[in-house]
Structure formats: C-alpha cells, structure tokens
Amino acid sequence: MTTERSRLPVAEAFDSVPRAPFLPATERTLTECNVPLAIGHGQTNSQPSTVADMLELLDVRLGDRVLDLGAGSGWTTALLSVLVGDEGQVSGVERHQALVDTARTALSHLDCENAEILTARPGQLGLPEAGPFDRILVSAGAEEVPAQLLDQLEIGGIMVIPVNGQMLKVVRDGRGDDEVTITRHGLYRFVPLITE
C-alpha cells in the first residue's frame, strides 16, 4: 500500500520566493503588479496569477522531480524548489544563455540547492536523459502536446502546458502517447515553444 506524498500550498512558495531578484533592475518597481514583465530576448516573467494557476494545476508533491521548461528568469524554478522540498529536485531549462546566467545568479542568492538552471540543447526538447519526471511545467505555448515531453513524464505524472492558447493539464495514464487524460483550464497567452 502506498501513501500519497504531502503537498505544500502554492501560496507558501510565493511567500518564500520574492519575484524582484528574478527581474531586470528596470522592471523591479513593478514587481507587485499582476502583469507579465519583460526580461529580455523577447521573453517575459509571467503574470503571478498565471504562474499560481499553473502551479495549482501541476499539483506538485514533496519529493517530486520536476522539469521546468522555458525557465526564463528562473522564478518558476525557485517556486518549484519550495514545493518539492529538500527531497525533491527541479531542473529548469532555458534557451537563452544570458537568461540562464541571470537565473543562476538569482537562484544562488536563495536557498534553492535542490534546483538548477540548464541551457537547452539545440534540437532537444526538455531533458530526455534525466527523465522520467513526476511533473513537467511548460511556460511556452505549443501547437500540440509534444510527444518528446510525454516520453519524459512518469506514469501518473502531470504536465501543465499551454496549447493553442488553452492551458492543458495532461496526466500520463500509461506508456503510449495516447494513454493520457487531458483537461482544459482557460485561455492564456505565452511566447511560442521552440522545438528546434
């Protein structure tokens, strides 16, 4: 008999991780505003209410291994590091090296030893060599649920991803790409997911 692992409230992660260190200096006066903020390279630090919605859907448990795809500023990676606790691990992946560097710097000033920010490899989506993950958070809009990411999701795992403007919660029920349960949770706007 297995026992379900406990879960921290998403609000606790928001209370523990300030947004300001993950923003460019020019945007920090807006840190309390519930709006997306530019972080350079055509990317944004997502609107806090959107991040909260996504984290609620992701239903992270203590001890989870989480892939944070499109980590951007590193803020979501830091929030996830609180939610997985000391026994968990969060791997953030970002395409833009300059954002990787600033995200790593911001993380280094917080107690996020269970989190890392990695540079995305060209032609590779996610971290296939490090999977499977219990949870996958995708902070970029896709045209369809990527099979490459499903392959990195543990059976029973959850992926939250915007697809064609709709926020999807994808639960992997079995090994096949079609063995998933998908629910839709409102309309959101994101930068596009680059898969090349």
Side-chain angles (χ1 to χ4, degrees):
M1 182 173 140
T2 60
T3 58
E4 188 157 321
R5 286 176 288 151
S6 58
R7 176 183 190 261
L8 293 176
V10 168
E12 188 170 320
F14 274 82
D15 289 344
S16 301
V17 180
R19 187 184 189 196
F22 296 91
L23 297 173
T26 55
E27 300 291 322
R28 288 183 183 165
T29 58
L30 301 172
T31 190
E32 298 300 322
C33 298
N34 187 32
V35 295
L37 297 172
I39 56 173
H41 308 279
Q43 308 300 304
T44 61
N45 177 284
S46 294
Q47 184 172 331
S49 61
T50 298
V51 174
D53 290 348
M54 294 176 79
L55 293 179
E56 289 289 354
L57 289 172
L58 201 60
D59 193 24
V60 176
R61 303 290 163 150
L62 291 170
D64 276 351
R65 294 184 67 243
V66 181
L67 172 63
D68 182 20
L69 187 60
S73 68
W75 186 45
T76 53
T77 304
L79 291 167
L80 286 163
S81 79
V82 173
L83 296 175
V84 301
D86 293 338
E87 301 301 314
Q89 174 66 35
V90 183
S91 297
V93 177
E94 174 53 48
R95 292 177 57 239
H96 299 281
Q97 188 61 50
L99 295 180
V100 170
D101 295 340
T102 56
R104 285 176 177 164
T105 299
L107 278 178
S108 72
H109 295 296
L110 300 173
D111 184 20
C112 296
E113 293 179 10
N114 60 350
E116 61 185 350
I117 303 286
L118 304 169
T119 305
R121 293 184 188 162
Q124 176 178 290
L125 192 57
L127 294 172
E129 70 284 358
F133 296 94
D134 300 297
R135 301 289 189 267
I136 298 177
L137 179 68
V138 184
S139 297
E143 294 181 4
E144 61 185 8
V145 176
Q148 309 96 298
L149 293 180
L150 280 178
D151 289 343
Q152 296 171 51
L153 190 61
E154 186 70 72
I155 292 176
I158 297 171
M159 174 166 48
V160 172
I161 179 172
V163 175
N164 293 322
Q166 285 201 318
M167 191 63 67
L168 304 185
K169 178 177 182 176
V170 181
V171 180
R172 187 166 190 193
D173 302 317
R175 295 261 175 235
D177 289 348
D178 60 342
E179 294 182 76
V180 297
T181 300
I182 297 175
T183 54
R184 291 164 175 75
H185 300 272
L187 299 175
Y188 295 82
R189 191 181 337 201
F190 279 85
V191 297
L193 179 65
I194 307 299
T195 58
E196 315 173 332

